[in-house]
Amino acid sequence: MGDKVQVLYCAVCSLPPEYCEFGPDFEKCKPWLLENVPDLYPELARERAEQQLQGLTVSNEKGDSSKTQEEDVKRLPGGKIKKKEKPAVVVERVTRNKRKCVTTIKGLDMFGVKLGEASKKLGKKFASGASVVKGPTEKEQIDVQGDILLDIVDFITDTWQNIPESAIFFMEDGKKVSAG
Ligand SMILES: [Zn+2]
């Protein structure tokens, strides 16, 4: 009694497990060997432990990075916060129909100026046609016929004392240039 030997064969390659590494497909045997005869292949167990460790590390890193991204998204709410526009009056000389020069004035409304009244004042002061028009960005602007760039800054600061010269800009070649 006691000499009953349990003969075990690999379920994958059907060799005795100690021969698996010489068998046709040791790689495929590995999981079965680890499951059933781990003592026979201690290096496999070690290998798997290392792989698991790496796997854990990788998934940890993944977890961490996605977490960080989420936090970042929360911290920066997608740039949806509207940047508060600093009030500014932008004056631009526009030449239309080749010779006809128009001076556009944008932003007076940001200083509480009623554009209708402003356009009347401008028309009177410069003895020219002035009108409130919808600008390209759907914002209203005042168009004054003629080139009034030289006098406009003084006129604005004299007429509307709450508009400082530093808040008035000229549009030159697509760039905002301080009039002050
Ligand atoms: Zn095998």
Side-chain angles (χ1 to χ4, degrees):
M1 68 185 280
D3 55 2
K4 190 186 170 194
V5 176
Q6 197 190 357
V7 182
L8 193 66
Y9 295 103
C10 171
V12 179
C13 66
S14 61
L15 288 168
E18 54 267 43
Y19 294 106
C20 274
E21 58 182 311
F22 309 112
D25 209 339
F26 185 43
E27 285 300 318
K28 278 184 183 164
C29 296
K30 279 179 180 178
W32 184 90
L33 293 169
L34 275 165
E35 195 68 36
N36 296 279
V37 287
D39 294 343
L40 211 58
Y41 289 95
E43 72 277 16
L44 279 187
R46 208 167 48 235
E47 206 173 277
R48 188 169 73 166
E50 276 169 14
Q51 278 173 356
Q52 278 179 340
L53 210 68
Q54 277 174 4
L56 278 177
T57 314
V58 167
S59 63
N60 256 346
E61 276 169 2
K62 266 186 191 166
D64 282 351
S65 70
S66 63
K67 206 176 168 188
T68 314
Q69 276 175 358
E70 256 175 57
E71 279 169 1
D72 280 348
V73 169
K74 274 175 200 162
R75 266 187 238 126
L76 313 165
K80 275 183 182 171
I81 282 180
K82 239 185 170 178
K83 221 174 156 187
K84 210 177 174 192
E85 223 177 327
K86 209 176 162 192
V89 176
V90 180
V91 182
E92 185 176 12
R93 189 175 45 200
V94 185
T95 308
R96 291 190 188 139
N97 305 326
K98 286 187 180 170
R99 272 187 218 162
K100 218 173 159 192
C101 186
V102 175
T103 304
T104 68
I105 303 157
K106 295 172 196 164
L108 284 173
D109 48 323
M110 286 175 142
F111 294 89
V113 173
K114 287 211 169 72
L115 294 187
E117 282 172 25
S119 124
K120 271 181 207 157
K121 282 180 182 167
L122 283 157
K124 211 172 152 193
K125 161 81 181 169
F126 296 102
S128 74
S131 53
V132 180
V133 297
K134 277 230 187 268
T137 54
E138 291 299 296
K139 263 191 167 176
E140 287 188 325
Q141 64 184 45
I142 297 173
D143 276 10
V144 182
Q145 305 298 321
D147 180 355
I148 57 164
L149 237 56
L150 277 176
D151 305 305
I152 189 68
V153 176
D154 283 347
F155 177 76
I156 290 172
T157 52
D158 286 351
T159 311
W160 299 286
Q161 315 257 316
N162 63 319
I163 305 179
E165 200 173 312
S166 60
I168 304 172
F169 296 88
F170 291 128
M171 229 25 202
E172 283 175 11
D173 301 324
K175 280 180 200 156
K176 252 161 100 176
V177 181
S178 176

